[in-house]
Amino acid sequence: MDSLKTTSMLRRLGMGLLHSLFSLFVVMTSIWFCLAIWIQQPLGQIFSYLIIIVWVFFALSILGFYFTKNVFTRKIDSLIYLVAFLLSLVWYFNIPAKQDREWSPEVSRIFSYEKQGQLVTIHNVRNFDWHTTDQYDEQWETRTYNLDDITGVNIITSYWMGPQIAHTLVSFNFSNQRPLVFSIEIRKEKNESFSAIGSFFRQFELSLIAADEKDIVYTRSNIRGEQVYFSLSNYQRLKAKHYLKNTYLNPQI
């Protein structure tokens, strides 16, 4: 008799835990989806808000049906929500990146290059002269580099939100030219400000920027007040040249 009571109690506890986990899943995924719609606004502001309202009503109805079992069985109820959530994931991971926006000047151009032997000509190398975060002298350059002149590569980390979050840049040193830095930057539109929450919900397109070290590092250390550290790499010259050719001068990028 005691063993039957124990088994029954464990079963009730297990089912209670399962129901709690499903409820938590519905609540958390609904919060995620509503935030994604609110930030992306795929159908404009008004229709996006309507989608949020409909989804909240849908999620609450699912939970109500789940616990009362008045309309569906719990398995069917769970399946309906899972299908709806999977469809939301399909939408989210197929949000296309756009290139026709009115971009902020510092990310308005994307570099291109031509390679002839060991000579690489890179267009749209950014070399801004920064005065404040909003005031700068805009300058884009075309530079030619000889891959045989590479002397090393440095990894640069810029801590912009405490000691836990850093932005990583890669700087290539040359024997007879200023360092060339590559950085993956969010591509903000004009009058658009950075949002950490928006970044988690794919608000910004990304762009690979080629820039003068004085520009892209100075603006972080001296203008934004970030903590910038150089990590001197042990790459030999040939390894650094191979890294530049196959990572940043790859036609697929």
Side-chain angles (χ1 to χ4, degrees):
M1 183 66 69
D2 290 339
S3 62
L4 290 176
K5 288 183 178 179
T6 301
T7 302
S8 177
M9 182 180 66
L10 290 176
R11 181 176 299 173
R12 287 197 300 269
L13 287 174
M15 292 303 297
L17 178 61
L18 181 63
H19 300 332
S20 298
L21 288 175
F22 177 73
S23 301
L24 181 62
F25 174 76
V26 171
V27 171
M28 297 305 294
T29 53
S30 294
I31 291 174
W32 169 84
F33 178 72
C34 290
L35 282 173
I37 292 293
W38 177 61
I39 290 171
Q40 289 291 332
Q41 296 190 3
L43 299 176
Q45 189 177 57
I46 295 177
F47 283 104
S48 296
Y49 289 165
L50 286 176
I51 292 174
I52 292 174
I53 293 172
V54 170
W55 186 274
V56 170
F57 179 78
F58 166 70
L60 292 175
S61 299
I62 285 292
L63 289 177
F65 296 153
Y66 183 84
F67 285 104
T68 61
K69 296 187 289 186
N70 287 335
V71 180
F72 309 112
T73 65
R74 283 173 174 165
K75 288 184 179 180
I76 294 177
D77 192 72
S78 303
L79 183 61
I80 291 173
Y81 185 81
L82 287 175
V83 170
F85 178 63
L86 288 175
L87 290 175
S88 73
L89 290 179
V90 170
W91 160 75
Y92 181 76
F93 287 108
N94 284 278
I95 297 174
K98 297 182 179 179
Q99 301 296 333
D100 57 351
R101 304 181 189 272
E102 191 174 358
W103 304 112
S104 183
E106 69 269 23
V107 289
S108 61
R109 302 188 189 185
I110 298 176
F111 82 88
S112 60
Y113 72 94
E114 295 101 28
K115 183 176 181 295
Q116 293 183 341
Q118 296 303 304
L119 294 180
V120 177
T121 299
I122 301 179
H123 305 283
N124 294 326
V125 177
R126 201 181 78 187
N127 189 18
F128 284 23
D129 186 11
W130 294 84
H131 307 294
T132 67
T133 54
D134 300 318
Q135 295 181 339
Y136 43 77
D137 298 324
E138 184 176 345
Q139 183 172 327
W140 299 89
E141 300 175 348
T142 295
R143 296 183 180 182
T144 299
Y145 295 90
N146 190 327
L147 297 181
D148 288 329
D149 293 334
I150 294 177
T151 58
V153 56
N154 300 322
I155 306 300
I156 305 170
T157 51
S158 180
Y159 290 85
W160 55 276
M161 189 180 287
Q164 305 300 326
I165 302 179
H167 181 80
T168 303
L169 308 90
V170 179
S171 174
F172 291 90
N173 296 328
F174 296 85
S175 60
N176 57 355
Q177 286 180 278
R178 296 193 301 272
L180 177 68
V181 182
F182 290 92
S183 173
I184 296 177
E185 305 277 332
I186 63 168
R187 206 172 188 195
K188 295 186 298 183
E189 299 176 59
K190 282 187 176 180
N191 303 318
E192 186 178 36
S193 58
F194 174 75
S195 168
I197 295 177
S199 298
F200 285 112
F201 289 92
R202 309 181 75 185
Q203 179 180 357
F204 305 104
E205 281 81 4
L206 298 177
S207 62
L208 180 60
I209 297 294
D212 190 278
E213 192 173 84
K214 179 178 67 67
D215 168 346
I216 205 163
V217 176
Y218 174 86
T219 183
R220 285 176 161 80
S221 61
N222 292 47
I223 302 300
R224 300 179 188 172
E226 300 176 9
Q227 298 295 315
V228 177
Y229 298 90
F230 281 71
S231 176
L232 300 180
S233 173
N234 291 324
Y235 273 100
Q236 298 175 352
R237 182 176 63 86
L238 291 178
K239 289 184 179 180
K241 181 173 72 173
H242 177 80
Y243 185 57
L244 174 60
K245 289 171 61 178
N246 291 280
T247 303
Y248 293 100
L249 301 181
N250 189 321
Q252 296 180 352
I253 293 180

